Amino acid sequence: MPQKIAVAVIHGIGEANPEFAQKDSPKFTSGFAKKLKSELAEVLDEEVDTIDAKLVIEPIYWAEVVQTIQDELCDRLQIEGKLKKFFRLGEFIFHSLSDSVAYQVTSSSAASDRHIYDGIHQCFSDTLKKLATSAGDKAPLCIVAHSLGSTIASNYIWDLQNSQAQIPIGNTPLEKGETLALFYTFGSQIAFWSLRHKDFGTPIKVPSPKLSQHYPNLKGEWVNFYDEDDLLGYPIQNINEEYKKVVKDKKVNAGGMLQNWNPTSHNEYWKDSEVIKPIATALADTWRSLNP
């Protein structure tokens, strides 16, 4: 039986939208899953309806972990009207900043201060469990992460690779991060979060050091897509020498005529061919290596 590839897709900052996790919605994974399947079918020269036998895509929807407390804070401050000004820009900024602040945790944080961090990571763990069930315990893992989601994904995998996780982790190779092969980030704020560490910290290892134990011939990569007009997404590879060894930045012009020249490009990576096609090509290469 052919080995499927597991794809976990995590969203970034902003107000909660449950449709991101609803597979029957056009907004499922912000349209990424549908576009990716189409591109992969084209690269493999197959019909789109054959892709479900090769790929399992699951969303990591974490927004609800912080949405309730954000709503409570907004009510206490009585600022709902303010957030709707300037074409709802205030709403975007409020959710962007509060997501980031709520998520952060320090090494000295007490258990009571980790409930957001660990709650979000529990969403990640739950998704990997689903993927292990539907794609297989040892399915090669591809993570696609947007905005703050790239930081969450990086932190989650770093915790796994350094035995720092403080939530229940499944016992399959996939759930333990051992089969991580491909990591794609876009609109990433990892550069900001690196400020918290001496010499800007150390990146996760991509592919996982244990991938070769399961798939000796499988190659991996970490590609970070960024648009120069995106004020919330930045290059990563030059953070320090360690990052330079593991991640490759790729500049793109995300969005259509109304978005690709301004900050709204931050939300346009999801369906942009400059982003989707390289990911589809890498997945096709992975599939061919798994099923020669």
Side-chain angles (χ1 to χ4, degrees), residues 71-83:
D71 290 344
E72 180 180 349
L73 179 61
C74 184
D75 290 342
R76 290 188 181 191
L77 299 178
Q78 298 180 338
I79 58 173
E80 183 177 355
K82 180 177 181 178
L83 299 186

Side-chain angles (χ1 to χ4, degrees), residues 83-94:
L83 299 186
K84 294 181 179 179
K85 291 182 178 180
F86 306 111
F87 306 100
R88 304 183 77 94
L89 180 60
E91 190 172 64
F92 176 75
I93 292 174
F94 177 82

Side-chain angles (χ1 to χ4, degrees), residues 38 63 70 116 134 149 241 282:
S38 177
Q70 286 176 346
I116 297 297
S134 54
E241 289 301 316

